[in-house]
Short mmCIF file of all heavy atoms in Angstrom, two decimals:
data_model
loop_
_atom_site.label_atom_id
_atom_site.label_comp_id
_atom_site.label_asym_id
_atom_site.label_seq_id
_atom_site.Cartn_x
_atom_site.Cartn_y
_atom_site.Cartn_z
N ASP A 21 -165.57 77.48 -34.11
CA ASP A 21 -164.21 78.00 -34.30
C ASP A 21 -163.28 76.87 -34.73
O ASP A 21 -163.68 75.71 -34.82
CB ASP A 21 -163.71 78.74 -33.05
CG ASP A 21 -163.46 77.81 -31.87
OD1 ASP A 21 -163.11 76.63 -32.07
OD2 ASP A 21 -163.60 78.29 -30.71
N ALA A 22 -162.03 77.21 -35.01
CA ALA A 22 -161.12 76.23 -35.63
C ALA A 22 -160.91 75.01 -34.74
O ALA A 22 -160.90 73.86 -35.22
CB ALA A 22 -159.78 76.89 -35.96
N ASP A 23 -160.73 75.23 -33.45
CA ASP A 23 -160.55 74.09 -32.53
C ASP A 23 -161.80 73.20 -32.51
O ASP A 23 -161.71 71.97 -32.51
CB ASP A 23 -160.27 74.59 -31.11
CG ASP A 23 -158.80 74.90 -30.91
OD1 ASP A 23 -157.99 74.54 -31.80
OD2 ASP A 23 -158.46 75.51 -29.88
N GLU A 24 -162.95 73.85 -32.47
CA GLU A 24 -164.20 73.08 -32.44
C GLU A 24 -164.38 72.29 -33.73
O GLU A 24 -164.85 71.14 -33.70
CB GLU A 24 -165.39 74.03 -32.25
CG GLU A 24 -165.45 74.62 -30.84
CD GLU A 24 -166.52 75.70 -30.73
OE1 GLU A 24 -166.82 76.37 -31.75
OE2 GLU A 24 -167.06 75.86 -29.62
N ARG A 25 -164.04 72.89 -34.84
CA ARG A 25 -164.19 72.17 -36.12
C ARG A 25 -163.29 70.94 -36.15
O ARG A 25 -163.69 69.89 -36.64
CB ARG A 25 -163.88 73.11 -37.30
CG ARG A 25 -164.86 74.25 -37.43
CD ARG A 25 -164.86 74.85 -38.82
NE ARG A 25 -163.56 75.30 -39.29
CZ ARG A 25 -163.00 76.47 -39.03
NH1 ARG A 25 -163.64 77.33 -38.24
NH2 ARG A 25 -161.83 76.79 -39.52
N ARG A 26 -162.07 71.08 -35.61
CA ARG A 26 -161.18 69.91 -35.55
C ARG A 26 -161.78 68.82 -34.67
O ARG A 26 -161.77 67.64 -35.04
CB ARG A 26 -159.81 70.33 -35.02
CG ARG A 26 -158.78 70.67 -36.09
CD ARG A 26 -157.39 70.82 -35.52
NE ARG A 26 -157.29 71.98 -34.65
CZ ARG A 26 -157.03 73.22 -35.08
NH1 ARG A 26 -156.85 73.46 -36.36
NH2 ARG A 26 -156.96 74.23 -34.24
N THR A 27 -162.28 69.21 -33.51
CA THR A 27 -162.85 68.22 -32.58
C THR A 27 -164.08 67.55 -33.19
O THR A 27 -164.25 66.32 -33.12
CB THR A 27 -163.24 68.90 -31.25
OG1 THR A 27 -162.09 69.57 -30.74
CG2 THR A 27 -163.73 67.88 -30.24
N PHE A 28 -164.93 68.35 -33.82
CA PHE A 28 -166.13 67.81 -34.44
C PHE A 28 -165.77 66.89 -35.61
O PHE A 28 -166.35 65.81 -35.77
CB PHE A 28 -167.03 68.96 -34.90
CG PHE A 28 -168.30 68.53 -35.56
CD1 PHE A 28 -169.23 67.74 -34.90
CD2 PHE A 28 -168.59 68.92 -36.86
CE1 PHE A 28 -170.41 67.34 -35.52
CE2 PHE A 28 -169.76 68.53 -37.48
CZ PHE A 28 -170.66 67.74 -36.81
N ALA A 29 -164.80 67.30 -36.42
CA ALA A 29 -164.37 66.46 -37.55
C ALA A 29 -163.82 65.13 -37.05
O ALA A 29 -164.05 64.07 -37.65
CB ALA A 29 -163.33 67.19 -38.40
N ARG A 30 -163.08 65.16 -35.93
CA ARG A 30 -162.56 63.90 -35.36
C ARG A 30 -163.69 63.02 -34.86
O ARG A 30 -163.64 61.79 -34.99
CB ARG A 30 -161.59 64.20 -34.22
CG ARG A 30 -160.18 64.55 -34.68
CD ARG A 30 -159.17 64.36 -33.56
NE ARG A 30 -159.45 65.17 -32.39
CZ ARG A 30 -158.91 66.36 -32.15
NH1 ARG A 30 -158.04 66.89 -32.99
NH2 ARG A 30 -159.22 67.02 -31.05
N ALA A 31 -164.73 63.65 -34.29
CA ALA A 31 -165.87 62.86 -33.80
C ALA A 31 -166.59 62.19 -34.97
O ALA A 31 -166.95 61.00 -34.89
CB ALA A 31 -166.83 63.76 -33.02
N MET A 32 -166.79 62.92 -36.06
CA MET A 32 -167.43 62.31 -37.23
C MET A 32 -166.57 61.16 -37.76
O MET A 32 -167.07 60.09 -38.11
CB MET A 32 -167.64 63.36 -38.33
CG MET A 32 -168.67 64.41 -37.95
SD MET A 32 -169.32 65.31 -39.39
CE MET A 32 -167.90 66.30 -39.84
N ARG A 33 -165.25 61.40 -37.82
CA ARG A 33 -164.33 60.38 -38.32
C ARG A 33 -164.41 59.12 -37.47
O ARG A 33 -164.42 58.00 -37.98
CB ARG A 33 -162.91 60.97 -38.29
CG ARG A 33 -161.84 60.18 -38.96
CD ARG A 33 -160.50 60.87 -38.77
NE ARG A 33 -160.02 60.74 -37.40
CZ ARG A 33 -159.04 61.47 -36.87
NH1 ARG A 33 -158.44 62.42 -37.59
NH2 ARG A 33 -158.65 61.27 -35.63
N ALA A 34 -164.46 59.31 -36.15
CA ALA A 34 -164.55 58.15 -35.24
C ALA A 34 -165.86 57.40 -35.47
O ALA A 34 -165.89 56.15 -35.46
CB ALA A 34 -164.44 58.62 -33.79
N ASP A 35 -166.95 58.14 -35.68
CA ASP A 35 -168.24 57.47 -35.97
C ASP A 35 -168.15 56.65 -37.25
O ASP A 35 -168.66 55.52 -37.31
CB ASP A 35 -169.35 58.52 -36.11
CG ASP A 35 -169.77 59.13 -34.78
OD1 ASP A 35 -169.46 58.54 -33.73
OD2 ASP A 35 -170.41 60.20 -34.80
N VAL A 36 -167.53 57.23 -38.28
CA VAL A 36 -167.40 56.52 -39.55
C VAL A 36 -166.55 55.26 -39.37
O VAL A 36 -166.91 54.18 -39.85
CB VAL A 36 -166.82 57.44 -40.64
CG1 VAL A 36 -166.42 56.65 -41.88
CG2 VAL A 36 -167.83 58.53 -41.00
N LEU A 37 -165.42 55.39 -38.67
CA LEU A 37 -164.55 54.22 -38.45
C LEU A 37 -165.30 53.12 -37.69
O LEU A 37 -165.19 51.94 -38.02
CB LEU A 37 -163.28 54.64 -37.70
CG LEU A 37 -162.32 55.55 -38.50
CD1 LEU A 37 -161.24 56.12 -37.58
CD2 LEU A 37 -161.70 54.80 -39.67
N ASP A 38 -166.04 53.52 -36.67
CA ASP A 38 -166.83 52.54 -35.91
C ASP A 38 -167.82 51.83 -36.82
O ASP A 38 -167.99 50.60 -36.75
CB ASP A 38 -167.61 53.23 -34.78
CG ASP A 38 -166.73 53.58 -33.60
OD1 ASP A 38 -165.55 53.16 -33.58
OD2 ASP A 38 -167.22 54.30 -32.70
N ALA A 39 -168.52 52.60 -37.64
CA ALA A 39 -169.56 52.02 -38.50
C ALA A 39 -168.93 51.09 -39.54
O ALA A 39 -169.48 50.03 -39.85
CB ALA A 39 -170.38 53.12 -39.19
N VAL A 40 -167.78 51.49 -40.08
CA VAL A 40 -167.09 50.64 -41.06
C VAL A 40 -166.75 49.30 -40.42
O VAL A 40 -167.00 48.22 -40.99
CB VAL A 40 -165.81 51.34 -41.57
CG1 VAL A 40 -164.90 50.34 -42.29
CG2 VAL A 40 -166.18 52.49 -42.51
N ARG A 41 -166.16 49.35 -39.22
CA ARG A 41 -165.80 48.09 -38.55
C ARG A 41 -167.03 47.25 -38.25
O ARG A 41 -167.03 46.02 -38.45
CB ARG A 41 -165.03 48.39 -37.26
CG ARG A 41 -163.53 48.59 -37.49
CD ARG A 41 -162.81 48.82 -36.19
NE ARG A 41 -163.23 50.08 -35.60
CZ ARG A 41 -162.43 51.11 -35.36
NH1 ARG A 41 -161.14 51.02 -35.62
NH2 ARG A 41 -162.91 52.23 -34.85
#
Side-chain angles (χ1 to χ4, degrees):
Chain A
D21 69 30
D23 275 350
E24 289 172 331
R25 295 201 304 276
R26 266 190 293 274
T27 305
F28 180 60
R30 279 200 301 265
M32 292 199 289
R33 190 183 72 195
D35 287 343
V36 168
L37 292 169
D38 283 352
V40 165
R41 275 182 294 242

